[in-house]
Amino acid sequence: MAFMAELLRSTASFDEWDRREGTPGPMGVTWIPSLSAWNFALYSRRATGVTLLLYSAADPAHPVLEERLDPRANKSGRIWHCWIPAARARGAVYYAWRVDGRYDPAAGFRFDRQKILLDPFAPAVYFPPDFSRIAAGLPGPNDGRAPLGVLPRSVPQPAAAKKRAPRPSHDLIVYELHVKAFTARENSGVTPKNRGTFAGLAEKIPYLKSLGVTAVELMPVQQCDPQEGSFWGYMTLNFFSPNQAYAASQGSDGVAAEFRAMVDAFHDNGIEVWMDVVYNHTSEAGPDGPTYSYRGIDNQSWYLLNGDRSQYRNETGCGNTLRCDHPVARSLILESLIFWINTMKIDGFRFDLASVFTRRSDGRVDLQNPSLIADISFLSARHGVRMIAEAWDIEAYLLGREFPGINWRQWNGKFRDDVRDFVRGISGRVGALMCRLYGSDDLFPGDVENSYRPFQSVNFITAHDGFSLYDLVSYNHKHNEANGHGNTDGADDNRSWNCGWEGDVGASEVVLALRRRQVRNFFCLLMLSNGTPMFCAGDEFLTTHGGNNNPYNQDNEISYLDWDLLEANHDVFRFFQGMIAFRKSHPSIARSQFWREDITWYGPGQYVDFSPGGNALAYCLRGGNMGDDDLYVMVNGGADTIRFEIQEGKPRDWQLVADTSLPSPMDFVEPGDRKALSSSGYAVGGRSVVVLCKPR
């Protein structure tokens, strides 16, 4: 679609046959302005008949034109196509398909000519007033209740070139957020009509800049099924348009324009925009799900099925798995990425359950030559965008060198688990903490043969999936009753510690103070780690979901950020702000290479305690090779105060930067207020981190 736009502007590109029968490419619908006509192309290997339906704005149930395609003229190989001049369209603004074929689910066939089918490549979606997910899942027709494609009246154009700030490197700070949840509450301070929208998010850019964020990672914003029941948006319906529910504007053009304006605003402020994208399954879910598009067009081409084709494979946990090694699925994914790169100017993509991209049509994992990953890697190199993998699915855990996307970044679940264990007080995790701080070279080896880089590790403590940072230190157990699944959903292995009391009700001041310290510990270690740091929206002011570690269906105040907490917990915000600024001002922390000879590890004394009871660590990171200061960090994971002896330099060489055991504002010392130490010994309080700096 996007890569053919230039070709389609030329009348000479279409001969007499094309203008009568259509062409097999590009896929989907394409408007040719010079000829005032549309070309339609639909892949279906097993269909026995295909009919194009065009609808007026006034009546989405009864087509103004039905064009039954003649396979002798309107089919090339496995692609059905036709050409419709605007003069024949009778003012149509929407379109859909009917597809004939065998209906035999036990053999993998799910054709049903009674269903109105959305084009997988539709540029935008229209939901009629009587739209019904239920009707799409039940036997019988769903005319007037099915989503329709929007007919384009222009050729997609790349966004106007704008000068961008240089891409962040050592100062890359990633902030994961949900567009609606971020500004849905009145106390977000956003203009009322813009709450919960792309425009509302743009209004909060000054806040994000003040915090120090340099990249926002948006939870799914591609058009999902509004009746599916998921607030998070991980059940995508259409991969070429922004979610209409997140726009203050009306109409597909208005929604797209609002999204582009938001991206431009972020770029104007030096902030990258990343998208969390879900190309591993669709909103059609399992065998009892709705027939919206893919399964009714060609079930066996779009989805992975088991050996006898009677059941969907379900590596995603959502009922179906896209057949990502099939040419039509690969084409859809790549064309979608090109659209978001060229037209919407997105800077990076986080791929949900990216291990699915390695699966062959028989479900086996191909780690040698997964074509889709190679194609996406080429796009990344060609367009200069960042690719980030969630390198696992339900059955395959490919974190690190196992994932075949050599130059991709990856969400590092081991960083999350090991740091959580250490901070909550599990003994014998000193070696694991060292590895995570260093850049996880066990997962991303930096030897000559492999040559991985530490920034490929996306380090995080929390993400949308799991406890918020405050809930991580406030609950030992999940509390997901509101989700309606009897508290059976969500992870049971949270590696959390409630600091001695479950939840907030009845918690003592001692417990509440310890929780704040633990939050500071987590964030301090995150900011001191080599790699790409990411944290969740609201963690900087102790947002809570009430112990719900899977609020995927909570489109309410359980999920919405409570901005009153920013004032109530401004001391925590200040600590986050300070540690982000500290990291960004010290390029020796986040490097393009591992620390190697610039790091020396210690314990409270000269030697690291690797014993099963070990819970303390210190290190000196020398910054001379980076033109930076030296740093000395002391970490006490135990409950009791430990006296550390500083092993390098003289006491007066070192200035205190942070001590998480101290109350605000002493927990983080601003650069102009830092004072030299008077002793080579420092008493590090129980469960705390101390950071020292030796200026050049």
Side-chain angles (χ1 to χ4, degrees):
M1 186 168 64
F3 71 88
M4 291 288 286
E6 184 62 36
L7 172 66
L8 293 173
R9 294 190 191 100
S10 172
T11 302
S13 301
F14 299 91
D15 58 27
E16 181 182 347
W17 294 340
D18 296 334
R19 300 178 201 182
R20 184 171 63 244
E21 300 166 354
T23 70
M27 296 296 293
V29 58
T30 305
W31 171 248
I32 302 93
S34 58
L35 298 173
S36 192
W38 292 279
N39 188 78
F40 296 86
L42 183 76
Y43 181 99
S44 184
R45 176 181 178 180
R46 299 166 182 84
T48 58
V50 171
T51 302
L52 174 68
L53 310 173
L54 301 185
Y55 298 86
S56 68
D59 188 352
H62 302 93
V64 295
L65 178 68
E66 295 193 39
E67 185 80 358
R68 176 115 180 140
L69 276 56
D70 180 353
R72 294 173 297 180
N74 302 116
K75 186 170 184 284
S76 299
R78 296 164 182 175
I79 299 177
W80 301 74
H81 49 81
C82 66
W83 180 274
I84 304 293
R88 289 191 56 214
R90 302 173 189 173
V93 294
Y94 309 123
Y95 77 107
W97 298 93
R98 289 191 191 276
V99 180
D100 296 283
R102 177 181 172 189
Y103 183 79
D104 185 358
F109 295 89
R110 290 182 176 269
F111 294 105
D112 183 353
R113 81 171 318 273
Q114 294 188 84
K115 296 302 182 191
I116 305 299
L117 301 176
L118 176 68
D119 180 2
F121 289 81
V125 181
Y126 170 71
F127 296 97
D130 294 329
F131 165 71
S132 171
R133 178 181 176 88
I134 294 175
L138 294 175
N142 65 333
D143 299 73
R145 294 176 287 176
L148 306 176
V150 177
L151 286 173
R153 288 281 183 173
S154 62
V155 177
Q157 299 287 333
K162 286 187 128 186
K163 185 177 180 181
R164 297 189 191 177
R167 291 205 312 173
S169 54
H170 75 275
D171 54 346
L172 182 58
I173 307 291
V174 185
Y175 187 82
E176 188 196 33
L177 64 86
H178 185 285
V179 170
K180 182 175 181 179
F182 196 62
T183 64
R185 288 187 190 238
E186 180 180 355
N187 62 9
S188 68
V190 166
T191 306
K193 70 181 183 65
N194 289 340
R195 291 173 192 154
T197 69
F198 302 123
L201 178 55
E203 289 188 36
K204 299 297 288 187
I205 289 175
Y207 168 80
L208 295 173
K209 286 188 69 176
S210 74
L211 180 57
V213 168
T214 56
V216 291
E217 181 174 299
L218 309 181
M219 289 176 64
V221 294
Q222 293 172 327
Q223 183 61 60
C224 63
D225 175 1
Q227 294 182 357
E228 187 271 328
S230 172
F231 177 57
W232 283 355
Y234 283 89
M235 299 292 275
T236 313
L237 176 64
N238 175 266
F239 296 96
F240 295 91
S241 57
N243 190 341
Q244 298 167 27
Y246 299 160
S249 307
Q250 300 297 313
S252 58
D253 290 343
V255 173
E258 182 178 325
F259 185 89
R260 285 194 297 268
M262 176 200 70
V263 174
D264 285 345
F266 274 105
H267 288 168
D268 289 343
N269 285 276
I271 300 176
E272 294 188 3
V273 180
W274 298 2
M275 284 173 50
D276 190 342
V277 288
V278 187
Y279 294 116
N280 57 77
H281 69 279
T282 78
S283 61
E284 290 187 320
D288 298 325
T291 298
Y292 282 139
S293 179
Y294 312 90
R295 67 161 50 108
I297 292 170
D298 194 345
N299 190 54
Q300 295 180 48
S301 293
W302 282 105
Y303 293 121
L304 287 182
L305 306 177
N306 65 4
D308 64 6
R309 300 180 179 175
S310 62
Q311 299 291 329
Y312 291 103
R313 292 185 62 91
N314 188 20
E315 284 82 6
T316 67
C318 296
N320 62 55
T321 303
L322 270 180
R323 187 179 170 184
C324 292
D325 73 336
H326 191 282
V328 72
R330 282 171 50 207
S331 176
L332 175 82
I333 294 168
L334 294 172
E335 280 296 293
S336 172
L337 290 172
I338 290 171
F339 165 78
W340 291 99
I341 292 170
N342 285 343
T343 305
M344 298 301 197
K345 292 300 180 185
I346 292 300
D347 304 287
F349 299 89
R350 180 266 187 187
F351 294 90
D352 182 67
L353 301 181
S355 292
V356 166
F357 295 168
T358 69
R359 293 196 176 274
R360 300 171 178 170
S361 291
D362 60 5
R364 290 183 299 168
V365 170
D366 176 11
L367 298 181
Q368 300 304 313
N369 190 33
S371 54
L372 179 57
I373 290 179
D375 291 340
I376 294 174
S377 299
F378 174 74
L379 277 184
S380 173
R382 179 182 178 187
H383 294 278
V385 296
R386 309 185 197 260
M387 303 298 179
I388 305 96
E390 182 185 38
W392 53 82
D393 59 32
I394 297 299
E395 297 181 358
Y397 193 75
L398 304 179
L399 179 61
R401 75 181 82 183
E402 294 299 317
F403 186 75
I406 300 299
N407 295 318
W408 293 36
R409 284 174 165 82
Q410 299 179 36
W411 272 25
N412 190 344
K414 281 289 291 177
F415 181 96
R416 173 199 60 204
D417 294 346
D418 287 342
V419 176
R420 285 187 179 190
D421 276 349
F422 184 92
V423 173
R424 69 183 171 133
I426 303 300
S427 298
R429 299 294 197 274
V430 170
L433 179 64
M434 290 169 59
C435 188
R436 302 305 151 226
L437 290 168
Y438 185 74
S440 295
D441 63 331
D442 59 332
L443 302 170
F444 303 94
D447 56 279
V448 174
E449 178 184 356
N450 292 282
S451 298
Y452 281 91
R453 303 298 190 92
F455 59 75
Q456 291 181 252
S457 171
V458 176
N459 301 330
F460 66 101
I461 308 296
T462 60
H464 67 273
D465 192 3
F467 281 141
S468 69
L469 189 54
Y470 181 72
D471 288 355
L472 184 68
V473 299
S474 304
Y475 296 92
N476 284 351
H477 310 286
K478 65 186 181 184
H479 297 269
N480 299 358
E481 290 81 6
N483 297 350
H485 308 295
N487 205 32
T488 60
D489 63 305
D492 292 312
D493 180 17
N494 294 291
R495 305 184 187 221
S496 62
W497 179 50
N498 64 16
C499 295
W501 189 271
E502 189 75 356
D504 280 346
V505 178
S508 68
E509 290 299 321
V510 172
V511 167
L512 294 175
L514 179 56
R515 288 176 181 173
R516 296 172 106 79
R517 181 186 301 187
Q518 290 288 74
V519 165
R520 292 194 294 267
N521 289 337
F522 275 122
F523 195 72
C524 191
L525 292 174
L526 178 64
M527 288 298 107
L528 293 172
S529 299
N530 201 2
T532 300
M534 182 191 78
F535 65 103
C536 270
D539 279 348
E540 70 273 18
F541 51 75
L542 305 185
T543 194
T544 177
H545 304 307
N548 192 326
N549 74 353
N550 187 40
Y552 78 98
N553 61 356
Q554 298 301 313
D555 186 359
N556 52 47
E557 293 191 352
I558 291 177
S559 296
Y560 302 165
L561 263 64
D562 182 357
W563 288 88
D564 287 346
L565 293 174
L566 175 59
E567 181 177 355
N569 301 312
H570 198 269
D571 59 321
V572 178
F573 171 84
R574 177 186 173 276
F575 184 85
F576 274 55
Q577 190 180 45
M579 284 305 304
I580 290 173
F582 180 78
R583 178 187 179 89
K584 291 165 71 172
S585 66
H586 290 285
S588 62
I589 298 176
R591 306 189 186 192
S592 64
Q593 302 177 23
F594 292 97
W595 291 338
R596 294 191 171 95
E597 66 277 359
D598 286 340
I599 183 77
T600 302
W601 303 96
Y602 302 105
Q606 185 176 359
Y607 302 107
V608 180
D609 181 4
F610 290 108
S611 72
N615 58 13
L617 173 69
Y619 65 88
C620 182
L621 178 61
R622 289 172 288 278
N625 288 333
M626 303 294 294
D628 196 6
D629 304 334
D630 293 345
L631 307 180
Y632 201 94
V633 177
M634 296 169 279
V635 187
N636 180 3
D640 300 323
T641 297
I642 299 177
R643 183 176 177 83
F644 282 69
E645 289 296 328
I646 300 169
Q647 300 297 310
E648 300 198 16
K650 300 175 182 178
R652 65 176 178 271
D653 294 337
W654 297 102
Q655 296 178 356
L656 178 65
V657 174
D659 184 338
T660 63
S661 71
L662 300 177
S664 183
M666 294 179 288
D667 55 350
F668 182 85
V669 185
E670 299 294 342
D673 297 328
R674 293 170 189 166
K675 294 181 174 56
L677 300 187
S678 58
S679 169
S680 62
Y682 194 100
V684 179
R687 306 190 192 280
S688 60
V689 181
V690 173
V691 182
L692 308 177
C693 177
K694 183 169 71 173
R696 286 176 289 167

